[in-house]
Amino acid sequence: MEAMKTQRPYSVYYLLLLHTVLWGIVTCKECMEEDCYDTTTPPLKFQDIVPKNYDKLVPPTVHGEPATVHIKIAILNINYVDEEKQAFGVDIFFHQVWNDPRLKIPSTHNTSRLVLDSKWRTHLWTPDTYFKNLVDGKVNDIIIPYSYMVVDSKSDLFFASRVSLKLDCEMDLTSYPHDVQQCEILIMSLQHTTDNVVLVWKEFQITENILLAQYYVSGNTSKNGTKKYNIGEFSYVSGKINLARRLGYFLINKYIPCVLIICMSFVTFWIPAEAYPARVTLSVTSLLTIVTQQYQSAMPSVSYVVALNIWMLSCIGFVFCSLLEYAFVIAVMNNNGTDLWPFRKFKKLFHPSKGSCNDSEAGKSPTRSAESSKISHQAIDKASRLIFPLFFLIFCICYFVYFCRR
């Protein structure tokens, strides 16, 4: 009996302890479901950062000075360059920074940088910037919209977004394929004149190692200024990308084959004039091959002459002249080197016959005249062996020196 009396108090203690633990678990679960935790920082509201008389249509000018908007563009990738449509596509990070002293971080938030709700952007004053040469564009939102806005303790606002753009690019293809195109990204203020908003560059940069099939980035320039219109003067910033065309394709598929074809046509000057089939076949084959190269050339669809047109037409002219040279050789050979009408005309023009000559001199004069105006077909071929390659070399030097200036 005494043992039972000593065990009862311990049983009571165990029951009280179990009741306390179960009550704590139930109370904690109810607190979690009802969100009864005490938060030290209250949720941020739009009214906490803007004053009551805030007007989103009025730019944040201070003491009559226009609001300065600093713009940064980082080009991530150049997707394509379309010569036919005179356009190019880019992916960029677009940043804007400006100061709006009307916005303040509330004292309840002990932070120097605060990310704002994306829905508040329509209720705040933001720069009315737009891409003047834009054809099409979108803000990437595959996972979430790639844009956000931040305000710091100095009332500086930072807006960033990742944008894909299709922009106009006025191309001058006169030096094609040795051309360097300058494609521009032009940003302007839409509504506000320079009295209210001024745009300036913070940075304009291009990602290194951008690979394109036909171009490489040879540099970039940036500037800011103003443009005057009938309704006022507006601020703008402009960034230009220098795109130089790669010559590997044209060197392998156009220039080297054309040089070899022309050299092949010059080989006919070393073939005897009596070998009609060999010289005619070689000359005609060279001419047909170079004409085929001309029609297979990837020319841009423009209505003016480009550098590659000049090259191909000149090469056709050299091959055609080599064929005409052989026709001239055949004419001389068939006439057995007799007087040629060009030389005879010039001789009569500069050396007219004199009537005071005696009979003996008159009898010798025609023979001497004929001998001086005779020319052999071997001499024509020998002169062509030097003249044709020399003129072609001079043409190549002039062509590449003129069109390869960058």
Side-chain angles (χ1 to χ4, degrees), residues 47-48 67 90 96 104 114 130 137 145 159 164 201-202 226 237 288 332 348 387:
Q47 293 77 9
D48 297 335
V90 291
Q96 297 182 99
K104 301 292 183 181
L114 191 63
Y130 74 103
F159 173 76
S164 296
W201 275 118
K202 182 180 179 182
T226 59
V237 291
L288 294 177
V332 172
K348 289 181 179 180
I387 294 173

Side-chain angles (χ1 to χ4, degrees), residues 139-177:
V139 177
N140 296 28
D141 56 352
I142 298 176
I143 302 176
I144 58 173
Y146 296 166
S147 63
Y148 64 96
M149 183 178 290
V150 177
V151 63
D152 63 12
S153 58
K154 298 180 181 179
S155 299
D156 289 334
L157 280 93
F158 174 79
F159 173 76
S161 62
R162 189 181 190 275
V163 189
S164 296
L165 303 173
K166 179 182 179 182
L167 302 167
D168 277 330
C169 179
E170 297 181 358
M171 301 182 185
D172 182 11
L173 300 173
T174 305
S175 300
Y176 177 90

Side-chain angles (χ1 to χ4, degrees), residues 217-236:
V217 179
S218 61
N220 63 285
T221 57
S222 60
K223 67 175 182 178
N224 48 271
T226 59
K227 290 189 177 183
K228 292 184 178 180
Y229 298 94
N230 295 332
I231 58 176
E233 187 175 3
F234 295 86
S235 178
Y236 76 90

Side-chain angles (χ1 to χ4, degrees), residues 262 287 290-291 294 311-321:
I262 290 176
L287 182 61
I290 200 72
V291 170
Q294 160 72 12
W311 170 265
M312 297 302 299
L313 293 175
S314 300
C315 292
I316 292 174
F318 275 104
V319 176
F320 184 71
C321 288

Side-chain angles (χ1 to χ4, degrees), residues 183-194:
C183 293
E184 184 180 25
I185 299 178
L186 181 59
I187 303 173
M188 293 189 67
S189 177
L190 179 62
Q191 302 176 16
H192 301 290
T193 61
T194 53

Side-chain angles (χ1 to χ4, degrees), residues 336-351:
N336 198 19
T338 55
D339 293 345
L340 298 175
W341 65 269
F343 299 98
R344 189 166 58 247
K345 292 289 183 181
F346 281 110
K347 187 173 182 62
K348 289 181 179 180
L349 180 62
F350 293 103
H351 300 283

Side-chain angles (χ1 to χ4, degrees), residues 36-85:
C36 61
Y37 289 108
D38 184 19
T39 58
T40 58
T41 303
L44 183 67
K45 298 180 181 180
F46 181 73
Q47 293 77 9
D48 297 335
I49 63 172
V50 297
K52 295 181 180 180
N53 58 348
Y54 181 82
D55 188 354
K56 68 176 183 179
L57 301 179
V58 178
T61 58
V62 180
H63 304 297
E65 295 294 327
T68 302
V69 180
H70 299 270
I71 293 178
K72 175 184 176 180
I73 287 182
I75 297 179
L76 305 177
N77 188 29
I78 301 176
N79 299 319
Y80 60 88
V81 179
D82 194 334
E83 297 165 356
E84 184 178 355
K85 296 182 179 180

